[in-house]
Amino acid sequence: MRTWFSQDIFPKDISPKTIRLFWCSSFDPNIVSDDLLHFEAQGHRTMWDMSLVEKLTQCNLPTDQYPEVLIAFVLLLALAGTFWLWTREDESAVPYTVDVPHQCLSGWDGELLKEPSLKAPGTTLIQCYCPANGKLLGTVNPASTTAIDRAIAKAQEAQVEWAKTGFAQRRRVLQSLLRHILENQTSISTAACLDSGKTRIDSSFGEILVTVEKLKWTILHGEKALRSERRPTNLLMCYKANEVRWEPLGVVAACVSWNYPFHNLMGPIISAIFAGNGIVIKGSENTAWSTTYFTNIIRLALQACGHSPALVQPIICWPSVAPHLTSHPGISHITFIGSRSVAYAVATSAAKSLTPVCVELGGKDAAVVLDDVTDIKKVASILLRGVFQSAGQNCIGIERIVACQGIYHQLVKILEPRVKSLRLGSALDEGGDDVDVGAMISSNSFDRLEQLIVDATNRGARCLVGGNRYTHPRYPQGHYFTPTLLVDVTPDMAIAQEETFAPICLVMKARDVDDAIRIANSTRYGLGASVFGRSQRDLERVVKSSKTGMVSVNDFAVYYAVQLPFGGVKGSGKSYLQS
């Protein structure tokens, strides 16, 4: 093909350098030079502006040879396409089945526990129950230090072969996983609702949707993110070429929280195995029952595609045993999702083997509402979603609404009847479609929450709705806290500084934009934030001034749905879970 472009077609004043550049430009219009631009200005046409016949004409070929050349060109393209299809690895999804727990099937009615607790009476077993109604789901035998050693050894053995796979093989596993999730999302959603007490809509958005989006992003863009990179050199090493290669770490670990039992489990697994690693995944004892089912989904996807399911090792253990995992020399990296207090323990333990740790901790996210909001009712709906999603048990949930004084009273007036109308209950029983807010994972925080609310009201805040635990008439063993609206909150109140992780809506008044920024940045946390308004200047001021890892403009937490880097600053973490 290069012989088509003879020097005869160029004016004699074009330098050889420009001719070479012209050759490149015929395939890449982004590459141009001053000479070439001058050449075009004189009225000459570049090769990418010409039809194939015009190019053949420039090559001085006899007219009667055009059909032969065109046929040869088409045959060459067909041959290249056939060769590509023949050599390309099959990435299509492989169908497979996973046994669905009988508790997820219609008609299941478990034993009702009189006093639900994680510890099975008289044993060391973990007692699993539904926090929405107190019904027994089963028991789990917690892992010992010996079991952790065995799990790491199995993952290490499987990872040796897995590291040799190409991206096409890894994509096929993720494609198979994606297909299975989409075809079985009702069962997965049911299991998440049973184990965490959340509503159907919370499991659909917070478990299924975000996991599917992470899979799609990794399938489409994961290889590009991990592809080797060429880096520039310098004068001293001008004869050298530099390259950065991203290679598997080996076996990594992830200790994940209970508030999203499916997504929090799947997220680290997806990233780990696509990067060529094995993983030991420690689920929370609060959601131990669903961990086995959820990890089987990915393990059987590996098996269906011809790989060892031992690459993914689930672990459930009591907190006293967890340091054996986090300090283990066989672990190359740790991802931790949870509270600040536990993060300190994990980091201290990991330091013994100098294992790097990525932490995503809690937050006290503020939603700043500016005076010039045009549709305050629509904004109020978004705020309620941000506050009460998963009964407020959401690390990037809205913990504080900071409204400027021009819109403050109008917003409170809209919020009060809406919060009063929120319905508590179980999403899985009859009438579950009428439930707005689900249960909390346990009642352990209820005393603290009630004390924080009382303290705030004693200091001038007004509790317009709720403020206490709730005994549900249909589910007296369930863990429910009344949806609460607390207004006139000030930064010096404890409830404005501590993460509640509960269905509590705090509303704080700001004098102006600067005061709103000051209030929003007044806590030790810095995970996410939101800002609502119309003035681009004011919106940009809030975004630039927010001491957080992430900010949504005129929306809530949308950065998570598109796989942007996720993480915080200050007391909310020092690294990002995805990028």
Side-chain angles (χ1 to χ4, degrees):
M1 291 176 64
R2 184 166 184 166
T3 57
W4 291 2
F5 307 103
S6 64
Q7 191 167 348
D8 295 339
I9 70 172
F10 296 96
K12 300 302 182 184
D13 61 339
I14 300 285
S15 66
K17 171 186 174 184
T18 308
I19 294 173
R20 288 195 298 272
L21 191 57
F22 188 84
W23 156 257
C24 296
S25 300
S26 67
F27 292 96
D28 188 353
N30 295 316
I31 303 176
V32 295
S33 72
D34 293 337
D35 288 339
L36 184 55
L37 293 173
H38 174 68
F39 177 53
E40 291 179 322
Q42 290 180 340
H44 299 283
R45 298 178 67 199
T46 55
M47 297 300 287
W48 64 78
D49 292 326
M50 300 181 185
S51 68
L52 181 59
V53 172
E54 288 177 302
K55 292 177 182 178
L56 292 174
T57 301
Q58 294 286 5
C59 296
N60 298 320
L61 287 175
T63 306
D64 60 355
Q65 292 185 16
Y66 287 3
E68 287 88 344
V69 173
L70 290 172
I71 292 171
F73 182 70
V74 171
L75 288 175
L76 182 63
L77 287 178
L79 182 62
T82 303
F83 178 76
W84 180 78
L85 289 172
W86 183 62
T87 57
R88 178 175 175 264
E89 291 190 62
D90 185 9
E91 296 183 17
S92 59
V94 178
Y96 65 99
T97 58
V98 180
D99 290 337
V100 177
H102 70 275
Q103 294 92 333
C104 295
L105 303 178
S106 177
W108 173 78
D109 189 18
E111 175 191 351
L112 186 63
L113 300 175
K114 292 183 178 180
E115 295 183 4
S117 65
L118 279 181
K119 184 79 177 294
T123 73
T124 60
L125 298 177
I126 297 172
Q127 182 173 252
C128 308
Y129 65 93
C130 177
N133 55 28
K135 292 182 179 180
L136 180 68
L137 295 170
T139 57
V140 171
N141 189 21
S144 63
T145 56
T146 303
I148 292 174
D149 291 337
R150 285 197 301 266
I152 294 173
K154 289 178 182 178
Q156 287 174 328
E157 183 179 358
Q159 191 271 336
V160 172
E161 293 302 316
W162 178 251
K164 300 174 185 177
T165 60
F167 288 118
Q169 293 170 283
R170 299 173 194 175
R171 274 193 295 269
R172 192 178 198 194
V173 173
L174 297 192
Q175 291 278 19
S176 303
L177 175 60
L178 175 60
R179 173 176 171 176
H180 183 88
I181 292 172
L182 291 173
E183 292 177 349
N184 296 273
Q185 55 185 293
T186 300
S187 298
I188 295 169
S189 171
T190 299
C193 291
L194 281 170
D195 219 6
S196 66
K198 64 182 56 181
T199 64
R200 280 286 188 190
I201 192 169
D202 284 339
S203 67
S204 295
F205 281 110
E207 306 282 8
I208 306 297
L209 176 65
V210 289
T211 302
V212 165
E213 286 301 321
K214 184 176 181 69
L215 279 167
K216 288 172 63 179
W217 189 95
T218 307
I219 290 166
L220 291 173
H221 309 292
E223 180 177 356
K224 181 181 178 181
L226 295 173
R227 193 179 297 154
S228 297
E229 302 174 16
R230 298 299 296 268
R231 296 290 178 88
T233 187
N234 56 21
L235 181 62
L236 182 64
M237 291 290 160
C238 60
Y239 58 95
K240 295 288 187 181
N242 308 317
E243 185 178 71
V244 175
R245 295 185 179 182
W246 304 98
E247 298 182 347
L249 294 173
V251 175
V252 299
C255 304
V256 299
S257 57
W258 44 261
N259 54 331
Y260 290 97
F262 181 67
H263 176 66
N264 283 352
L265 204 73
M266 282 294 174
I269 294 175
I270 292 166
S271 298
I273 66 174
F274 192 80
N277 300 305
I279 182 169
V280 177
I281 185 87
K282 181 197 170 298
S284 169
E285 57 273 20
N286 284 287
T287 49
W289 172 77
S290 61
T291 297
T292 301
Y293 171 45
F294 293 154
T295 50
N296 274 343
I297 292 174
I298 180 62
R299 284 163 62 89
L300 290 176
L302 285 163
Q303 184 173 288
C305 295
H307 307 289
S308 173
L311 189 69
V312 177
Q313 293 290 323
I315 287 291
I316 296 293
C317 65
W318 291 113
S320 59
V321 180
H324 186 75
L325 171 64
T326 52
S327 64
H328 202 289
I331 298 298
S332 301
H333 182 275
I334 297 172
T335 296
F336 173 78
I337 304 173
S339 66
R340 282 170 54 90
S341 59
V342 180
Y344 284 122
V346 170
T348 301
S349 175
K352 296 177 182 177
S353 52
L354 297 179
T355 304
V357 182
C358 170
V359 296
E360 188 270 289
L361 310 179
K364 194 70 179 173
D365 289 15
V368 175
V369 184
L370 305 179
D371 282 336
D372 62 352
V373 167
T374 54
D375 191 343
I376 188 61
K377 290 184 178 180
K378 180 180 178 180
V379 170
S381 297
I382 298 173
L383 295 174
L384 287 172
R385 182 77 199 145
V387 172
F388 295 104
Q389 178 176 314
S390 290
Q393 300 166 120
N394 182 8
C395 58
I396 52 172
I398 296 174
E399 290 255 342
R400 296 171 296 152
I401 298 172
V402 182
C404 290
Q405 59 184 358
I407 202 77
Y408 180 85
H409 294 291
Q410 185 182 355
L411 178 60
V412 171
K413 186 177 180 180
I414 294 171
L415 289 175
E416 184 175 1
R418 293 192 184 186
V419 175
K420 281 181 179 178
S421 67
L422 294 176
R423 299 159 297 183
L424 288 164
S426 171
L428 301 176
D429 290 341
E430 185 178 351
D433 291 339
D434 297 329
V435 172
D436 300 308
V437 181
M440 295 185 66
I441 195 69
S442 78
S443 59
N444 292 341
S445 64
F446 288 178
D447 287 342
R448 181 181 69 90
L449 295 174
E450 290 173 345
Q451 289 170 5
L452 286 171
I453 293 169
V454 169
D455 173 74
T457 55
N458 288 341
R459 298 168 67 112
R462 293 182 294 138
C463 185
L464 302 183
V465 184
N468 47 36
R469 68 192 76 196
Y470 177 70
T471 301
H472 200 289
R474 292 185 62 186
Y475 319 109
Q477 273 72 41
H479 305 313
Y480 294 96
F481 198 88
T482 307
T484 297
L485 177 61
L486 193 66
V487 303
D488 298 347
V489 177
T490 55
D492 61 321
M493 298 176 185
I495 200 167
Q497 298 297 318
E498 296 184 23
E499 183 181 30
T500 59
F501 224 55
I504 300 176
C505 181
L506 302 183
V507 189
M508 310 173 74
K509 184 191 294 185
R511 293 187 302 274
D512 50 30
V513 177
D514 289 332
D515 193 39
I517 293 170
R518 178 189 65 81
I519 294 171
N521 290 333
S522 65
T523 75
R524 61 181 177 178
Y525 296 99
L527 190 55
S530 302
V531 56
F532 299 85
R534 185 173 55 182
S535 166
Q536 285 297 121
R537 179 167 168 261
D538 289 341
L539 290 171
E540 187 64 22
R541 281 173 62 197
V542 175
V543 170
K544 283 188 174 182
S545 302
S546 292
K547 306 301 182 185
T548 61
M550 306 164 290
V551 182
S552 287
V553 177
N554 287 323
D555 215 324
F556 156 67
V558 288
Y559 38 74
Y560 199 76
V562 293
Q563 303 304 307
L564 290 176
F566 185 88
V569 298
K570 300 195 293 185
S572 293
K574 305 296 181 184
S575 47
Y576 287 86
L577 293 184
Q578 58 198 32
S579 60

